[in-house]
Amino acid sequence: MISISINAISFIGLLLLFVLFKKNAVTPFRRGFFCSDISIRYPIRDDTVSTTSLVISSVLIFIFVVFVGEYMFGLKESPEITNLKTGSKPFRWMQVYLTPRKWFFRALKFFFIYLWALLASQVLVNILKHSIGTLRPNFYAACNPNIKCDNEGDKFLYHTEYECQDITSKEEASLRTSFPSGHSAFSATAALFLVIYIQKKMNKPISLTFCGTEKVLDTFVVLVGPSLQLICFGLSCWTSLLRVSDYKHHLLDVIVGYILGGIIGSVAAYHSLGWDSINRNEKTRPRFYK
C-alpha cells in the first residue's frame, strides 16, 4: 500500500501540474517583438498532426509493441500454461489466451511508467515554455497586433505595449509558448522509450503458442526489431519536423524539445527495464533464512 500510494501521488502530482498549465493558471512570459523580425511573419497553417492524433497513435503503438511483446516473451513463464496440460485439449487454447497472466500485468506496469514519462516531458516543456515566452513563427499573422509596422522608423523598435486582435486570451498565450516544442518532446519520449524497450527485448527468442502448440521464432525475425525501431523513430522525427513546416515552431524549438523528450523517454525505459530484470532475478536467486 505504501508503494502504491507513493506511485499514485507522483502520477497525480504530475497530472495536476499538467492541467494547471493547460488551463493557463500560469501566464506565459510576455515577450515583445521587432517589426523587422521576419522569423515571426510566417502564415497560419493547420496542424498536420493534431495533439489528439499524436496522443492516440502513441498509445496504440505502445499497446501493439509492448503488450504483444510481453505476450510473446512472457506467456510461457505463466504457471497456468503447465497446468493446462491436464485439461481438456479442445478448450486448452481458449484458456491460454483468455486467462490473465503475469505478462499482462507486467505490460500494464510498463504502460503506467510510459504514461508517467509522457506527462513528465510535457510538464518540463510547459515550465520552459511559460518561463521563456518565445513567439511562434506565425505570431504576427495570428495575433494581428494593433501596432502596424508601416512606418520605416518602427521596424527597429521593440514593441511590448501591443494587443492581439480577434483572438481569445488563451490563443494569445499559446502564441507565446513556442520554445521548446511540446509535440517534439512527446513524440521523442514515446519513440525512445519504445526503441530501448525493443532493443532489450529482442535479445531473447520469440515464442508463440497457438492451439496448445509452442513455436519458437528465433531464426526468421532478425529484422523485426530494427524495423519496429525504425518505424518508431521515423514517425517521431516526421511528427517533430512537421511543426516547422506548419509554422508552429522554430527549428531550434523542435531540436531542444526532441532532446528533452528523448532523455526522459530513455531514462524511463532504462528504469522500467532495470526494475523488470530485478524482479526476474529475485525469482531465481537463492534465499537464505536464519
Side-chain angles (χ1 to χ4, degrees):
M1 290 301 297
I2 294 177
S3 61
I4 292 175
S5 300
I6 293 174
N7 292 333
I9 291 172
S10 175
F11 191 87
I12 294 173
L14 276 178
L15 184 60
L16 289 176
L17 285 174
F18 175 77
V19 172
L20 286 176
F21 280 114
K22 285 300 179 183
K23 295 297 182 180
N24 287 326
V26 180
T27 304
F29 175 71
R30 185 177 177 83
R31 185 180 296 274
F33 67 93
F34 291 97
C35 286
S36 58
D37 186 2
I38 61 174
S39 66
I40 59 173
R41 292 296 196 101
Y42 288 91
I44 301 173
R45 290 188 60 180
D46 294 331
D47 292 335
T48 304
V49 179
S50 65
T51 302
T52 304
S53 300
L54 178 62
V55 173
I56 293 176
S57 60
S58 299
V59 172
L60 291 179
I61 292 174
F62 178 90
I63 291 175
F64 173 75
V65 172
V66 175
F67 278 78
V68 173
E70 289 301 316
Y71 170 81
M72 290 190 296
F73 292 117
L75 185 60
K76 61 183 179 181
E77 299 175 358
S78 178
E80 291 90 346
I81 296 293
T82 56
N83 295 337
L84 289 174
K85 292 181 180 179
T86 58
S88 177
K89 187 174 181 180
F91 300 100
R92 188 184 306 163
W93 68 272
M94 295 179 61
Q95 293 176 328
V96 168
Y97 285 104
L98 298 179
T99 305
R101 305 179 190 285
K102 295 178 181 178
W103 67 265
F104 180 77
F105 296 107
R106 187 182 300 120
L108 278 181
K109 291 181 180 180
F110 280 121
F111 183 63
F112 285 123
I113 296 175
Y114 178 75
L115 290 182
W116 184 93
L118 294 177
L119 270 177
S121 68
Q122 293 307 292
V123 169
L124 177 59
V125 163
N126 277 298
I127 291 174
L128 296 176
K129 280 176 175 286
H130 288 70
S131 301
I132 300 173
T134 304
L135 304 181
R136 293 186 184 272
N138 61 1
F139 169 79
Y140 194 83
C143 174
N144 188 23
N146 56 350
I147 297 176
K148 301 302 179 182
C149 299
D150 297 330
N151 297 329
E152 193 69 24
D154 292 342
K155 291 185 177 181
F156 300 100
L157 293 178
Y158 186 62
H159 299 285
T160 56
E161 301 297 328
Y162 63 89
E163 293 182 4
C164 293
Q165 304 178 98
D166 303 324
I167 61 173
T168 63
S169 58
K170 182 179 180 180
E171 292 171 336
E172 180 181 350
S174 176
L175 293 175
R176 301 200 303 272
T177 56
S178 182
F179 179 89
S181 170
H183 276 64
S184 300
F186 191 96
S187 60
T189 302
L192 268 295
F193 188 101
L194 291 175
V195 165
I196 294 173
Y197 172 86
I198 294 169
Q199 182 66 31
K200 177 70 175 180
K201 293 292 182 176
M202 289 302 293
N203 292 330
K204 303 175 182 179
I206 299 176
S207 61
L208 294 176
T209 302
F210 184 74
C211 296
T213 304
E214 183 176 328
K215 302 292 185 180
V216 178
L217 307 175
D218 57 347
T219 306
F220 304 102
V221 293
V222 178
L223 296 180
V224 170
S227 298
L228 290 174
Q229 290 172 318
L230 178 62
I231 291 172
C232 294
F233 187 70
L235 286 175
S236 69
C237 290
W238 175 71
T239 302
S240 301
L241 292 176
L242 281 176
R243 302 301 288 172
V244 179
S245 58
D246 289 341
Y247 308 133
K248 298 300 174 66
H249 289 285
H250 307 282
L251 181 59
L252 182 61
D253 306 340
V254 170
I255 294 174
V256 174
Y258 202 91
I259 292 174
L260 290 175
I263 292 174
I264 294 175
S266 301
V267 171
Y270 277 115
H271 174 75
S272 59
L273 289 167
W275 151 82
D276 187 43
S277 62
I278 290 174
N279 284 355
R280 291 173 184 269
N281 292 335
E282 285 291 336
K283 299 174 184 178
T284 58
R285 185 185 303 170
R287 296 186 178 183
F288 301 94
Y289 298 93
K290 294 181 180 179

PDB file of all heavy atoms in Angstrom, residues 15 20 38 63 68 70 150 165 177 200 228 241 246:
ATOM      1  N   LEU A  15       0.056  15.045 -13.099  1.00  0.00           N
ATOM      2  CA  LEU A  15      -1.180  15.311 -13.837  1.00  0.00           C
ATOM      3  C   LEU A  15      -1.773  16.664 -13.457  1.00  0.00           C
ATOM      4  O   LEU A  15      -2.238  17.417 -14.325  1.00  0.00           O
ATOM      5  CB  LEU A  15      -2.187  14.196 -13.567  1.00  0.00           C
ATOM      6  CG  LEU A  15      -3.512  14.257 -14.347  1.00  0.00           C
ATOM      7  CD1 LEU A  15      -3.244  14.199 -15.847  1.00  0.00           C
ATOM      8  CD2 LEU A  15      -4.426  13.117 -13.923  1.00  0.00           C
ATOM      9  N   LEU A  20      -2.839  22.388 -14.779  1.00  0.00           N
ATOM     10  CA  LEU A  20      -2.692  23.801 -14.433  1.00  0.00           C
ATOM     11  C   LEU A  20      -2.107  24.597 -15.591  1.00  0.00           C
ATOM     12  O   LEU A  20      -2.559  25.713 -15.891  1.00  0.00           O
ATOM     13  CB  LEU A  20      -1.806  23.950 -13.192  1.00  0.00           C
ATOM     14  CG  LEU A  20      -2.441  23.554 -11.856  1.00  0.00           C
ATOM     15  CD1 LEU A  20      -1.419  23.648 -10.736  1.00  0.00           C
ATOM     16  CD2 LEU A  20      -3.638  24.439 -11.552  1.00  0.00           C
ATOM     17  N   ILE A  38      11.636  38.830 -39.173  1.00  0.00           N
ATOM     18  CA  ILE A  38      10.898  38.044 -40.168  1.00  0.00           C
ATOM     19  C   ILE A  38      10.629  36.616 -39.683  1.00  0.00           C
ATOM     20  O   ILE A  38       9.850  35.885 -40.311  1.00  0.00           O
ATOM     21  CB  ILE A  38      11.656  37.993 -41.509  1.00  0.00           C
ATOM     22  CG1 ILE A  38      13.031  37.330 -41.326  1.00  0.00           C
ATOM     23  CG2 ILE A  38      11.795  39.390 -42.096  1.00  0.00           C
ATOM     24  CD1 ILE A  38      13.781  37.116 -42.621  1.00  0.00           C
ATOM     25  N   ILE A  63       0.664  -0.035 -27.156  1.00  0.00           N
ATOM     26  CA  ILE A  63      -0.111  -1.241 -26.864  1.00  0.00           C
ATOM     27  C   ILE A  63       0.272  -2.374 -27.812  1.00  0.00           C
ATOM     28  O   ILE A  63       0.446  -3.527 -27.396  1.00  0.00           O
ATOM     29  CB  ILE A  63      -1.620  -0.935 -26.949  1.00  0.00           C
ATOM     30  CG1 ILE A  63      -2.042  -0.022 -25.795  1.00  0.00           C
ATOM     31  CG2 ILE A  63      -2.446  -2.225 -26.934  1.00  0.00           C
ATOM     32  CD1 ILE A  63      -3.478   0.432 -25.871  1.00  0.00           C
ATOM     33  N   VAL A  68       1.908  -6.944 -27.095  1.00  0.00           N
ATOM     34  CA  VAL A  68       2.206  -8.108 -27.930  1.00  0.00           C
ATOM     35  C   VAL A  68       3.576  -8.674 -27.581  1.00  0.00           C
ATOM     36  O   VAL A  68       3.774  -9.899 -27.507  1.00  0.00           O
ATOM     37  CB  VAL A  68       2.132  -7.732 -29.427  1.00  0.00           C
ATOM     38  CG1 VAL A  68       2.605  -8.887 -30.298  1.00  0.00           C
ATOM     39  CG2 VAL A  68       0.714  -7.347 -29.804  1.00  0.00           C
ATOM     40  N   GLU A  70       5.235  -8.480 -24.643  1.00  0.00           N
ATOM     41  CA  GLU A  70       5.183  -9.175 -23.357  1.00  0.00           C
ATOM     42  C   GLU A  70       4.447 -10.501 -23.472  1.00  0.00           C
ATOM     43  O   GLU A  70       4.781 -11.464 -22.779  1.00  0.00           O
ATOM     44  CB  GLU A  70       4.511  -8.285 -22.309  1.00  0.00           C
ATOM     45  CG  GLU A  70       5.352  -7.108 -21.871  1.00  0.00           C
ATOM     46  CD  GLU A  70       6.676  -7.522 -21.272  1.00  0.00           C
ATOM     47  OE1 GLU A  70       6.691  -8.478 -20.461  1.00  0.00           O
ATOM     48  OE2 GLU A  70       7.700  -6.912 -21.626  1.00  0.00           O
ATOM     49  N   ASP A 150       4.066  49.851 -40.431  1.00  0.00           N
ATOM     50  CA  ASP A 150       4.098  50.534 -41.723  1.00  0.00           C
ATOM     51  C   ASP A 150       5.209  51.571 -41.793  1.00  0.00           C
ATOM     52  O   ASP A 150       5.813  51.786 -42.846  1.00  0.00           O
ATOM     53  CB  ASP A 150       2.746  51.216 -41.995  1.00  0.00           C
ATOM     54  CG  ASP A 150       1.620  50.191 -42.083  1.00  0.00           C
ATOM     55  OD1 ASP A 150       1.905  49.055 -42.490  1.00  0.00           O
ATOM     56  OD2 ASP A 150       0.476  50.534 -41.735  1.00  0.00           O
ATOM     57  N   GLN A 165      -5.625  41.099 -31.709  1.00  0.00           N
ATOM     58  CA  GLN A 165      -6.997  41.386 -32.100  1.00  0.00           C
ATOM     59  C   GLN A 165      -7.692  40.127 -32.636  1.00  0.00           C
ATOM     60  O   GLN A 165      -7.078  39.327 -33.342  1.00  0.00           O
ATOM     61  CB  GLN A 165      -7.023  42.486 -33.173  1.00  0.00           C
ATOM     62  CG  GLN A 165      -6.314  43.774 -32.744  1.00  0.00           C
ATOM     63  CD  GLN A 165      -6.314  44.806 -33.835  1.00  0.00           C
ATOM     64  OE1 GLN A 165      -7.127  45.714 -33.857  1.00  0.00           O
ATOM     65  NE2 GLN A 165      -5.383  44.678 -34.768  1.00  0.00           N
ATOM     66  N   THR A 177       4.318  30.585 -26.540  1.00  0.00           N
ATOM     67  CA  THR A 177       4.875  29.354 -25.953  1.00  0.00           C
ATOM     68  C   THR A 177       5.488  28.471 -27.042  1.00  0.00           C
ATOM     69  O   THR A 177       5.139  27.295 -27.172  1.00  0.00           O
ATOM     70  CB  THR A 177       3.783  28.569 -25.199  1.00  0.00           C
ATOM     71  OG1 THR A 177       2.687  28.309 -26.102  1.00  0.00           O
ATOM     72  CG2 THR A 177       3.266  29.351 -24.001  1.00  0.00           C
ATOM     73  N   LYS A 200      16.062  -4.105 -25.901  1.00  0.00           N
ATOM     74  CA  LYS A 200      16.277  -5.012 -24.768  1.00  0.00           C
ATOM     75  C   LYS A 200      15.550  -6.335 -24.969  1.00  0.00           C
ATOM     76  O   LYS A 200      16.112  -7.411 -24.718  1.00  0.00           O
ATOM     77  CB  LYS A 200      15.782  -4.331 -23.488  1.00  0.00           C
ATOM     78  CG  LYS A 200      15.879  -5.177 -22.238  1.00  0.00           C
ATOM     79  CD  LYS A 200      17.311  -5.369 -21.816  1.00  0.00           C
ATOM     80  CE  LYS A 200      17.379  -6.114 -20.489  1.00  0.00           C
ATOM     81  NZ  LYS A 200      18.771  -6.323 -20.035  1.00  0.00           N
ATOM     82  N   LEU A 228      10.863  -2.247 -36.353  1.00  0.00           N
ATOM     83  CA  LEU A 228       9.987  -1.556 -35.409  1.00  0.00           C
ATOM     84  C   LEU A 228      10.652  -0.301 -34.853  1.00  0.00           C
ATOM     85  O   LEU A 228      10.010   0.736 -34.692  1.00  0.00           O
ATOM     86  CB  LEU A 228       9.601  -2.502 -34.269  1.00  0.00           C
ATOM     87  CG  LEU A 228       8.652  -3.652 -34.614  1.00  0.00           C
ATOM     88  CD1 LEU A 228       8.473  -4.579 -33.424  1.00  0.00           C
ATOM     89  CD2 LEU A 228       7.307  -3.116 -35.078  1.00  0.00           C
ATOM     90  N   LEU A 241       9.315  17.396 -37.168  1.00  0.00           N
ATOM     91  CA  LEU A 241       9.689  18.332 -38.234  1.00  0.00           C
ATOM     92  C   LEU A 241       8.474  18.970 -38.896  1.00  0.00           C
ATOM     93  O   LEU A 241       8.576  20.067 -39.462  1.00  0.00           O
ATOM     94  CB  LEU A 241      10.540  17.608 -39.280  1.00  0.00           C
ATOM     95  CG  LEU A 241      11.925  17.171 -38.789  1.00  0.00           C
ATOM     96  CD1 LEU A 241      12.649  16.366 -39.864  1.00  0.00           C
ATOM     97  CD2 LEU A 241      12.765  18.379 -38.387  1.00  0.00           C
ATOM     98  N   ASP A 246       4.659  23.453 -40.529  1.00  0.00           N
ATOM     99  CA  ASP A 246       3.338  24.007 -40.215  1.00  0.00           C
ATOM    100  C   ASP A 246       3.427  25.410 -39.627  1.00  0.00           C
ATOM    101  O   ASP A 246       2.381  25.996 -39.290  1.00  0.00           O
ATOM    102  CB  ASP A 246       2.600  23.102 -39.228  1.00  0.00           C
ATOM    103  CG  ASP A 246       2.141  21.802 -39.862  1.00  0.00           C
ATOM    104  OD1 ASP A 246       2.064  21.745 -41.106  1.00  0.00           O
ATOM    105  OD2 ASP A 246       1.857  20.836 -39.126  1.00  0.00           O
TER     106      ASP A 246
END
